[in-house]
Amino acid sequence: MIRHERLRPPQHDYPADEWNIIERRFNPDFLAQFETVLALGNGYLGMRGCPEEGGPAVENSTLINGFYEVRPILYGEDAYGFAKTGQTILNVTDSKTIKLFVDDEPFWLPSATILRYDRRLNMRAGTLDREILWQTPAGKEVLITSRRLVSLAHRHVAAISYRVELLNADAPVVLSSEMSANQTSGSTVADDPRQSRGFSGRVLHPAAGYAREQRVLLCHETLGSRLRLACGIDHLLDTACATTSRTEQHEDFGQVAFTVEARQGSAIHLTKYMVYHTTQTATAQELCGRVEWTLDRMMRNGFQDLLTAQQRCMDDFWRRSDMRIHDLREARIKRSTVEIQQAIRFNLFQAMQASARADNAGVPAKGLTGQAYEGHYFWDTEIYLLPFLIYTTPRIARNLLMFRYRMLDAARARARLLGHRGALYPWRTIDGQEASAYYAAGTAQYHINADIMYALRKYVTATGDEAFLHEYGAEMLVETARLWRDLGFYSDAKDGRFCINSVTGPDEYNTVVNNNAYTNLMAEENLRYASQVVQDLQSSHPDAYRQLVSRTALDPAEIEEWAHAANAMYVPYDEKRGIIPQDDSFLEREPWDFANTPANHFPLLLYYHPLNIYRKQVIKQADIVLAMFLLGGRFSLETKRLNFMFYDPLTTGDSSLSSCIEAIVAAQIGEIDKAIEYGMAALLMDLADVGGNVKDGCHIAAMGGTWMMLAYGMAGMRDDDSILSFWPRRAPQDQAVLQFPLTHRGRILDVEIDTGTARYSLREGESMVIRHEAEKIELTSAEPVAERPVTHW
């Protein structure tokens, strides 16, 4: 089922541009959406795209990855093993406000007379830029230009360049640079489980604070999670006009107010530096000291140095990650080539912003663009985002897998609590503890174990990082394999096959089922990979094997048990239809009555009791179809076609994770029209607000899915082994050209697919073997280019 676009502002106000998201008129109707779309971040620090003047705003949040408070999860009826403690990302100290007064009249967008307005997310430079010509009630024209950045090179730093110039008169001007703590955290929307849960009362408690000259520091701490935050601001004012300044500080507020006797044609340029440091161990005094030395460095080096470093980071990102597309048949997709290119780059840019400096954390479902899903990390990272990172920035992929390794002890404890051996990763978490309050669609999603191990295998295969596998990955494999072996059993009712009961797959509209096929297939892969890796360590890396045994108390007999369970894994199959049932009882349910479901009653989870959904044949998101993409080598095209055609009419697309997967499989089986429809839904998930909730933050997984859709779908990439292969398929009338780079085992390969030819170029590296369909091709530094024909459907 295709979900339709909701956000389509007038094109003359929001023109398409390959490198910018442009807003040419202030429109309060799209305020919340563009706070998300124009957000800046670096994976550690995120700021929504609210005006510098402090408003108007729907959610004026500043977020730090992993900075959260805990709260008790309250159940009407509690039970053993339920998650007890919720975790919610906090809206931390807002430091980006610069209020402007001319003739003591405030500049306030909703009531201001605006003669010119241009605000844009500059994706080439990594900045949010704005130019406004304001006419005051007295007829004075004021040119306001600003540039904001959240630094990629210096992850604790953000900065604003704010410039004011009176064009036709003199006037007194005040610039009030402010910071404020204890802004609203969370949402009051109680009936939407996707929203963040708010706190009543003070969440950030003052620990220290002081002001000196034009510098202000505030330090706060949480009581439950025992985290500490220090935020500091400092300023440089550059103008030929006469100025004075005044600084004040309270426990939750800081202000530096600059009064300027502004003269016509004489610019006033304020540079504001904002620094955030967090800790769970350092004292308030030490943390404030860290802020001080970072501010000292920023004041010494200047804004231009930050801009230069930002541009260097962005150039490097696009060199490794850019996907270019041109010569589209615009009538068919009802979008211009420029719009499509803009959307591709927007998705890649926001995926980068969510992960670039997430050095010791995961990637929240919304990145740092909003508080929805409470800043939690899900399986989204491993299945949807990591493929993009593995093939563009493998260092970040490694960091994210290392974060999962550091969670292993908590996962072991969770497994013990539920009566299992091994380790069970939390369905949603910040600190490693399970935070899902609804076990049926949370804890029961045991597949997260296999999802993480699937990502581990993809990372090791694509990078050759055997050291990571031996030192960290093998231990995770042992504990996750133990979990599967303990969870499943050999069923007499299934002719002795290995079965896994009472689990939930990716489709959350069918919960606590027996033999969810996705779960069984992925568990089989997990078990088999664990057995293979440990056997390899045993035979070829005895030192690493001894260390693994020491850390896990591994019994060699377990290795054979995992292989046996994998070989005996039960996967449902319906011979009459030629499909894999989603679970043992899925085909026995009554189909959902889509014809009589109002169009405004999607997503179903907001309008129907879970039991009404669970007893019907209806699917929230790709489940079997996802397995057929991830484990594509196991299934013939005909099997994929039969399953896709059966499950497609039952899939609501109520999850943003679905469209990109459906687009890939539709492309593989030659359903080009569906591939385009689903592909456009995935590509425009946020820019067109397909799900109606972009106001709550970007859909980071769908953005990673956009990369997968183009690389795996349009270019036909396969990465089942250490040799990349490509099976590009094109409709005869398709004229589009796709170009993108891949980082693979330290080399960079450029791929170009056009209407009749696939062109492979070795950009970096001495040699590389790839496959075009079944043909092996060796690229070398002496002969770095190969061209092959593209097969048409």
Side-chain angles (χ1 to χ4, degrees):
M1 180 179 293
I2 302 298
R3 302 295 296 277
H4 299 288
E5 301 168 15
R6 306 183 189 218
L7 172 62
R8 190 121 187 222
Q11 193 165 8
H12 60 274
D13 290 335
Y14 302 88
D17 183 280
E18 289 190 0
W19 285 104
N20 297 276
I21 307 296
I22 301 172
E23 181 185 47
R24 285 196 173 151
R25 183 173 73 88
F26 171 70
N27 189 335
D29 292 340
F30 300 117
L31 192 62
Q33 292 94 326
F34 277 88
E35 289 174 8
T36 291
V37 169
L38 302 181
L40 292 177
N42 62 13
Y44 169 77
L45 172 65
M47 295 178 169
R48 281 181 51 100
C50 306
E52 275 75 12
E53 293 74 26
V58 175
E59 183 191 325
N60 185 16
S61 61
T62 299
L63 304 172
I64 291 179
N65 193 356
F67 193 87
Y68 67 97
E69 182 56 302
V70 296
R71 54 179 174 76
I73 298 176
L74 303 178
Y75 299 95
E77 296 183 29
D78 204 350
Y80 176 82
F82 279 15
K84 302 299 184 186
T85 305
Q87 307 144 29
T88 299
I89 195 169
L90 295 179
N91 186 4
V92 300
T93 308
D94 174 32
S95 63
K96 58 186 177 292
T97 299
I98 301 175
K99 294 179 180 177
L100 170 64
F101 301 82
V102 176
D103 283 332
D104 292 327
E105 298 294 331
F107 172 60
W108 184 246
L109 275 168
S111 57
T113 299
I114 303 298
L115 304 181
R116 186 166 72 244
Y117 183 97
D118 187 291
R119 189 165 68 136
R120 59 185 61 200
L121 180 68
N122 186 332
M123 297 181 289
R124 191 192 290 273
T127 58
L128 179 60
D129 304 332
R130 189 184 68 169
E131 181 177 294
I132 294 175
L133 183 57
W134 168 41
Q135 186 180 66
T136 72
K140 297 179 181 180
E141 295 184 1
V142 184
L143 181 63
I144 308 164
T145 58
S146 64
R147 171 167 270 197
R148 182 193 305 176
L149 66 83
V150 175
S151 177
L152 296 166
H154 307 277
R155 76 180 193 130
H156 299 279
V157 176
I160 297 173
S161 168
Y162 194 93
R163 190 177 184 275
V164 177
E165 182 180 349
L166 275 72
L167 301 184
N168 62 352
D170 299 342
V173 169
V174 174
L175 294 173
S176 176
S177 174
E178 300 176 2
M179 59 193 304
S180 180
N182 281 297
Q183 307 297 301
T184 301
S185 282
S187 168
T188 58
V189 182
D191 57 352
D192 188 343
R194 301 169 298 180
Q195 294 287 342
S196 179
R197 295 294 174 260
F199 290 90
S200 59
R202 176 184 287 276
V203 182
L204 297 174
H205 298 264
Y210 54 89
R212 183 176 63 253
E213 297 178 346
Q214 296 170 1
R215 178 176 294 188
V216 183
L217 269 78
L218 298 178
C219 183
H220 290 81
E221 57 193 11
T222 61
L223 296 184
S225 59
R226 298 188 178 278
L227 295 172
R228 190 166 285 134
L229 159 76
C231 175
I233 58 175
D234 208 342
H235 308 80
L236 178 65
L237 184 67
D238 182 15
T239 181
C241 305
T243 68
T244 59
S245 67
R246 178 175 59 83
T247 302
E248 64 175 278
Q249 176 267 322
H250 307 290
E251 61 182 21
D252 284 342
F253 180 77
Q255 179 192 54
V256 181
F258 299 90
T259 301
V260 184
E261 296 302 322
R263 299 193 304 269
Q264 178 181 341
S266 185
I268 305 163
H269 186 190
L270 176 65
T271 304
K272 179 176 186 177
Y273 300 101
M274 301 159 279
V275 170
Y276 292 81
H277 280 272
T278 53
T279 185
Q280 198 167 27
T281 57
T283 65
Q285 181 180 7
E286 180 183 343
L287 199 61
C288 289
R290 296 179 190 177
V291 172
E292 291 265 19
W293 72 52
T294 305
L295 281 171
D296 288 345
R297 187 172 69 252
M298 294 304 107
M299 293 292 289
R300 184 168 61 249
N301 294 343
F303 189 74
Q304 186 57 49
D305 186 78
L306 275 178
L307 278 179
T308 300
Q310 191 81 343
Q311 188 65 67
R312 193 161 51 242
C313 290
M314 291 308 306
D315 289 345
D316 181 60
F317 169 71
W318 291 118
R319 180 184 69 85
R320 293 177 286 98
S321 311
D322 195 16
M323 297 186 113
R324 289 164 288 169
I325 195 163
H326 49 90
D327 295 337
L328 291 166
R329 297 184 68 220
E330 297 178 359
R332 189 177 191 191
I333 63 174
K334 300 179 177 61
R335 288 274 180 168
S336 72
T337 301
V338 173
E339 288 178 280
I340 298 303
Q341 184 65 77
Q342 178 190 51
I344 292 171
R345 287 193 172 125
F346 173 73
N347 285 314
L348 300 182
F349 178 78
Q350 290 291 1
M352 178 276 296
Q353 287 203 128
S355 58
R357 298 305 307 271
D359 296 353
N360 297 298
V363 175
K366 297 294 185 182
L368 298 174
T369 64
Q371 298 176 73
Y373 291 112
E374 305 189 82
H376 290 173
Y377 319 130
F378 293 80
W379 71 307
D380 304 19
T381 300
E382 284 76 22
I383 294 301
Y384 291 86
L385 183 60
L386 242 67
F388 165 64
L389 296 175
I390 286 168
Y391 288 109
T392 59
T393 322
R395 175 188 58 81
I396 298 175
R398 188 184 194 276
N399 287 347
L400 292 170
L401 289 168
M402 189 66 201
F403 176 70
R404 288 295 195 183
Y405 175 77
R406 288 194 293 269
M407 224 182 258
L408 187 56
D409 282 343
R412 287 177 172 124
R414 179 65 176 163
R416 286 195 300 271
L417 181 66
L418 270 64
H420 302 311
R421 296 190 68 222
L424 176 60
Y425 278 97
W427 177 242
R428 56 187 298 173
T429 190
I430 295 177
D431 67 358
Q433 304 299 316
E434 179 63 80
S436 175
Y438 185 49
Y439 78 90
T443 296
Q445 297 204 51
Y446 286 83
H447 66 84
I448 190 170
N449 268 21
D451 301 330
I452 295 169
M453 295 305 97
Y454 178 90
L456 170 68
R457 183 171 193 166
K458 185 178 289 287
Y459 168 77
V460 173
T461 301
T463 63
D465 190 353
E466 298 288 337
F468 183 87
L469 177 63
H470 295 170
E471 190 167 355
Y472 307 110
E475 189 174 348
M476 291 190 286
L477 282 166
V478 166
E479 299 296 5
T480 52
R482 280 173 168 165
L483 184 283
W484 292 120
R485 178 60 189 88
D486 182 72
L487 182 65
F489 71 107
Y490 295 95
S491 170
D492 292 337
K494 303 293 185 184
D495 297 323
R497 308 297 285 180
F498 191 79
C499 295
I500 303 174
N501 288 346
S502 300
V503 298
T504 300
D507 169 28
E508 295 173 350
Y509 286 173
N510 291 272
T511 66
V512 196
V513 297
N514 293 343
N515 293 308
N516 168 258
Y518 174 92
T519 301
N520 286 19
L521 286 163
M522 294 292 282
E524 177 184 337
E525 292 295 310
N526 190 162
L527 286 160
R528 183 168 286 116
Y529 187 40
S531 177
Q532 292 169 351
V533 167
V534 176
Q535 284 183 48
D536 178 66
L537 290 180
Q538 199 174 26
S539 61
S540 303
H541 305 277
D543 289 344
Y545 177 74
R546 281 191 291 271
Q547 292 174 16
L548 178 66
V549 170
S550 175
R551 292 194 301 267
T552 63
L554 176 67
D555 184 338
E558 292 182 86
I559 306 169
E560 180 58 34
E561 288 181 13
W562 303 335
H564 186 264
N567 292 332
M569 186 65 69
Y570 174 74
V571 178
Y573 182 71
D574 182 83
E575 291 189 8
K576 180 180 178 181
R577 297 176 178 86
I579 66 165
I580 298 175
Q582 188 167 294
D583 59 68
D584 278 355
S585 59
F586 184 82
L587 298 181
E588 301 170 6
R589 299 182 192 127
E590 178 187 3
W592 183 271
D593 185 4
F594 285 102
N596 292 307
T597 302
N600 63 351
H601 278 206
F602 294 90
L604 300 181
L605 62 94
L606 297 185
Y607 299 96
Y608 300 92
H609 191 282
L611 288 175
N612 287 339
I613 297 173
Y614 296 164
R615 62 172 59 100
K616 300 293 177 65
Q617 269 187 22
V618 63
I619 298 171
K620 182 182 179 186
Q621 65 200 73
D623 194 294
I624 289 295
V625 174
L626 175 60
M628 292 191 168
F629 162 58
L630 296 179
L631 308 174
R634 294 186 55 155
F635 306 101
S636 68
L637 283 178
E638 178 62 11
T639 299
K640 291 181 182 181
R641 187 188 69 79
L642 289 171
N643 280 273
F644 180 89
M645 301 308 289
F646 178 80
Y647 287 108
D648 179 51
L650 302 175
T651 305
T652 63
D654 283 351
S655 168
S656 63
L657 305 181
S658 199
S659 294
C660 60
I661 303 303
E662 290 169 288
I664 294 169
V665 177
Q668 290 176 354
I669 64 174
E671 290 287 331
I672 302 303
D673 289 340
K674 284 189 177 291
I676 290 173
E677 286 187 273
Y678 284 123
M680 293 298 290
L683 182 65
L684 299 170
M685 185 63 63
D686 289 304
L687 285 185
D689 200 7
V690 173
N693 60 349
V694 72
K695 61 184 175 59
D696 301 322
C698 288
H699 298 82
I700 301 301
M703 291 169 160
T706 294
W707 183 90
M708 291 199 298
M709 185 176 66
L710 293 170
Y712 291 102
M714 188 170 176
M717 187 175 88
R718 305 290 181 269
D719 53 3
D720 299 326
D721 57 27
S722 59
I723 299 177
L724 291 180
S725 61
F726 300 87
W727 296 76
R729 292 289 187 270
R730 310 299 295 278
Q733 68 274 25
D734 190 358
Q735 302 297 313
V737 178
L738 172 67
Q739 299 167 302
F740 63 97
L742 294 165
T743 298
H744 186 263
R745 298 194 168 222
R747 300 155 301 192
I748 296 182
L749 174 73
D750 287 314
V751 179
E752 179 178 334
I753 311 291
D754 65 24
T755 183
T757 305
R759 188 172 190 267
Y760 308 104
S761 305
L762 183 62
R763 187 201 302 177
E764 294 181 11
E766 288 300 313
S767 65
M768 183 174 185
V769 175
I770 62 171
R771 293 191 191 96
H772 177 81
E773 299 184 352
E775 177 194 359
K776 275 191 177 183
I777 301 171
E778 183 174 6
L779 304 174
T780 66
S781 56
E783 295 185 24
V785 179
E787 293 187 359
R788 294 296 186 271
V790 168
T791 302
H792 290 118
W793 287 109

